[in-house]
Amino acid sequence: MASHSFSGNYMILRPEEVSIRDLLGILCNCDFAQKAFVEFPIGREENLPRRWLLFISLLAQKVLQRMERPMSWFGSACEMALNILSCNHNFFVLLLRVLQKKVIVPGRTSDMFLSFVGNSDKRVQLDNSIKNGDSRYYAMLCAMASKLSYENKVVVENTVRDCWKMELIGYYDFWNDFQRKYTTQGFMFHDKTADPDVIIIAFRGTELFDADAWCTDIDISWYELPGMGKIHGGFMKALGLLIGQGWPPETEQDSDRPLAYYTIRENLRQLLKANSKTNFILTGHSLGGALAILFAAVLALHEETFLLKRLEGVYTFGQPRVGDEEFKMFMEKQLYAYGIKYLRFVYSHDVIPRLPSDDFTFLFKHFGTCLYFNSFYQGKIVEEEPDKNYMSPWVIIPRMINAFWELLRSFIIPYIKGPDYSETWLLKLIRFVGLALPGLAAHNPHDYINTTRLGSHDIYLRVQER
């Protein structure tokens, strides 16, 4: 059975099949017919994007596939070095302990070991000034959960239980049926302090040194689903799309290979049936945000009315675009019908929410309520974030000036806003790199957490009035 037999219209890239000769052929206007590296229905050549985009996506995925092991090794080495330095307080204490042979080396699954994201922003406590009932509460909680999703199970469990005083329902490593490996992570927890009480599902975003996750992000493949429109193929695969079946309403899962959508849906069915007052929220940063809104979309596809009526909202941070105009219209109809709040946070010049491009090539569209925050954490509700495709040459210099301001701000913000906003040396280094790559440096979860804490109450009150 063909892997795409569930869809009558599609455009699938297969970077494992592309050669250097094929890549050169793309740029030289060679015919795409019968090429193993790209699939589309016969007679639907209009499905193909512009050649240079096809070239970039295939080349980048090919390079990432070749670099998977070196990236993983380098990332692991960097994280271990950061954690050894952190557990031994500072560089000078570390040198002393090396001489004394008393160096603390944390295990990767221990409560002392933090991810690259965790080392760049070590805040674990919720903002005590934002209580349940505050219009910012869910946004603040979701931003913290999205950051926490990058950590190992022990760190997540200890933070949820001991710091937040909430209940961890489950921590998951989900199977990708197309990549034949575990590529998607997330966790569920129960906030019983809220009224009504609420279950939060947080999906992990793209890790810096995870080649598989980056391949998912830059894969411009798509499938068209009847009544829904064209949807990003990589995101659907990460959420649990089945080879040859697509999204069957029910499926028998292998207990050793849990699929994100079906596992979480079943857990929600059981938990919400047990408590008639409990609602749930979906959230995530980056790729995690895309999975959050796509999860709601598949619930709608399956007409899961019981769950959709209990969906309190979807909160995403730095989320890329997921589908085309038809998908946007489908989701707007569902969000309105069930009264679901969908808040999409975009910080400053973050490049990820501006991908894939919204032009005649892809026609991928954002929807929902966009809360855009500048580098002063001043927010406003907009239809679309400024410079929506990140391609305008007129904003290159303003981006670099803004990146310089963000670097300067990292040194002065704790004196203005308090010690909770003090930035680590690692985050300052990221901001320094941001002078050359402002769009990527602006994607870190730290700034999204700050938008929920420092943003004005008024913007959230206006959201409630909409």
Side-chain angles (χ1 to χ4, degrees):
M1 180 181 293
S3 63
H4 51 257
S5 59
F6 60 89
S7 174
N9 194 21
Y10 51 85
M11 194 282 293
I12 311 299
L13 299 185
R14 302 193 184 282
E16 66 277 5
E17 302 290 346
V18 75
S19 64
I20 294 177
R21 182 178 179 180
D22 291 327
L23 288 170
L24 294 174
I26 293 173
L27 297 178
C28 296
N29 294 320
C30 293
D31 186 11
F32 288 125
Q34 306 302 320
K35 297 294 184 181
F37 62 82
V38 58
E39 287 187 57
F40 54 91
I42 297 174
R44 301 297 294 268
E45 286 77 8
E46 69 273 12
N47 287 353
L48 295 172
R50 285 179 287 186
R51 289 177 178 270
W52 67 271
L53 287 171
L54 192 69
F55 172 83
I56 291 173
S57 180
L58 282 168
L59 176 62
Q61 289 183 76
K62 190 73 174 180
V63 170
L64 284 167
Q65 288 177 349
R66 294 290 180 89
M67 293 293 292
E68 179 182 1
R69 288 188 178 181
M71 282 180 65
S72 178
W73 178 88
F74 182 73
S76 296
C78 285
E79 283 192 340
M80 180 58 74
L82 289 169
N83 280 279
I84 290 175
L85 184 60
S86 177
C87 290
N88 292 278
H89 302 298
N90 59 56
F91 181 73
F92 297 105
V93 174
L94 176 60
L95 285 180
L96 178 61
R97 288 183 174 176
V98 168
L99 295 175
Q100 297 174 337
K101 297 182 179 180
K102 295 181 178 180
V103 177
I104 299 175
V105 181
R108 291 188 177 276
T109 58
S110 74
D111 61 349
M112 300 174 66
F113 194 92
L114 297 178
S115 68
F116 191 86
V117 169
N119 274 289
S120 67
D121 183 355
K122 295 189 176 183
R123 292 176 294 185
V124 294
Q125 295 288 353
L126 302 178
D127 189 331
N128 290 328
S129 68
I130 303 177
K131 304 294 185 181
N132 180 31
D134 190 308
S135 60
R136 298 172 296 170
Y137 179 75
Y138 285 146
M140 179 275 296
L141 179 59
C142 287
M144 288 296 290
S146 295
K147 183 179 83 76
L148 184 61
S149 68
Y150 289 93
E151 307 306 327
N152 67 52
K153 180 179 180 180
V154 177
V155 173
V156 170
E157 185 173 19
N158 288 350
T159 301
V160 171
R161 182 189 62 214
D162 300 333
C163 295
W164 300 356
K165 309 302 180 184
M166 300 177 189
E167 177 190 349
L168 180 67
I169 296 171
Y171 179 95
Y172 309 100
D173 199 9
F174 295 116
W175 181 255
N176 186 316
D177 205 30
F178 287 75
Q179 294 188 18
R180 310 304 297 171
K181 62 179 72 173
Y182 300 94
T183 65
T184 305
Q185 291 74 35
F187 70 99
M188 298 174 64
F189 66 99
H190 197 167
D191 178 7
K192 296 181 179 180
T193 67
D195 185 22
D197 59 307
V198 65
I199 293 170
I200 311 288
I201 299 97
F203 293 96
R204 181 182 297 179
T206 304
E207 294 185 277
L208 184 59
F209 300 105
D210 186 343
D212 289 329
W214 282 109
C215 282
T216 296
D217 287 341
I218 64 177
D219 182 4
I220 58 175
S221 301
W222 52 263
Y223 297 97
E224 184 171 4
L225 300 182
M228 289 186 73
K230 299 172 184 175
I231 306 173
H232 192 288
F235 299 155
M236 287 204 291
K237 294 171 186 176
L239 189 62
L241 188 72
L242 288 165
I243 292 178
Q245 300 180 62
W247 294 112
E250 304 291 341
T251 185
E252 291 291 332
Q253 290 197 81
D254 184 336
S255 60
D256 294 328
R257 296 178 176 180
L259 300 167
Y261 170 75
Y262 294 100
T263 300
I264 294 173
R265 186 185 66 173
E266 183 57 32
N267 287 344
L268 285 172
R269 284 172 173 173
Q270 296 177 12
L271 291 165
L272 299 184
K273 284 179 181 178
N275 191 332
S276 61
K277 295 183 178 180
T278 303
N279 292 330
F280 72 100
I281 291 175
L282 301 163
T283 191
H285 168 259
S286 190
L287 166 63
L291 298 181
I293 189 59
L294 186 55
F295 183 93
V298 183
L299 286 179
L301 173 68
H302 290 156
E303 299 180 348
E304 292 281 351
T305 302
F306 170 73
L307 294 180
L308 289 168
K309 286 182 176 180
R310 307 283 284 276
L311 178 53
E312 175 73 25
V314 182
Y315 293 73
T316 70
F317 306 90
Q319 172 216 315
R321 296 182 178 101
V322 176
D324 68 353
E325 177 72 28
E326 185 179 353
F327 179 71
K328 171 185 175 181
M329 295 174 63
F330 170 82
M331 285 305 297
E332 287 177 337
K333 180 180 178 181
Q334 303 301 322
L335 295 172
Y336 177 79
Y338 293 100
I340 299 169
K341 183 189 301 180
Y342 172 33
L343 301 186
R344 187 172 58 82
F345 288 74
V346 177
Y347 169 73
S348 190
H349 293 291
D350 185 356
V351 65
I352 301 302
R354 295 164 168 94
L355 298 174
S357 62
D358 176 5
D359 60 17
F360 67 89
T361 301
F362 290 111
L363 297 179
F364 273 34
K365 302 289 185 181
H366 273 311
F367 53 94
T369 301
C370 178
L371 276 60
Y372 174 78
F373 292 83
N374 62 21
S375 57
F376 292 91
Y377 302 120
Q378 297 169 335
K380 59 182 178 180
I381 300 173
V382 296
E383 185 71 23
E384 185 78 77
E385 56 271 13
D387 187 24
K388 67 177 184 178
N389 287 326
Y390 209 75
M391 294 296 182
S392 173
W394 305 108
V395 295
I396 293 176
I397 293 178
R399 280 185 209 139
M400 297 181 70
I401 293 174
N402 190 73
F404 179 79
W405 153 243
E406 289 174 332
L407 177 61
L408 176 63
R409 186 192 64 195
S410 68
F411 290 94
I412 63 176
I413 193 170
Y415 300 102
I416 300 173
K417 299 297 183 181
D420 283 347
Y421 298 94
S422 179
E423 299 190 6
T424 63
W425 66 266
L426 178 59
L427 186 54
K428 290 184 174 72
L429 179 61
I430 292 172
R431 297 205 187 281
F432 181 78
V433 174
L435 297 175
L437 300 169
L440 290 177
H443 187 56
N444 72 81
H446 177 93
D447 285 316
Y448 282 101
I449 291 174
N450 284 356
T451 65
T452 65
R453 297 185 178 204
L454 299 176
S456 170
H457 283 270
D458 293 341
I459 189 172
Y460 297 97
L461 293 174
R462 290 200 299 273
V463 167
Q464 293 179 346
E465 295 170 356
R466 290 168 71 91

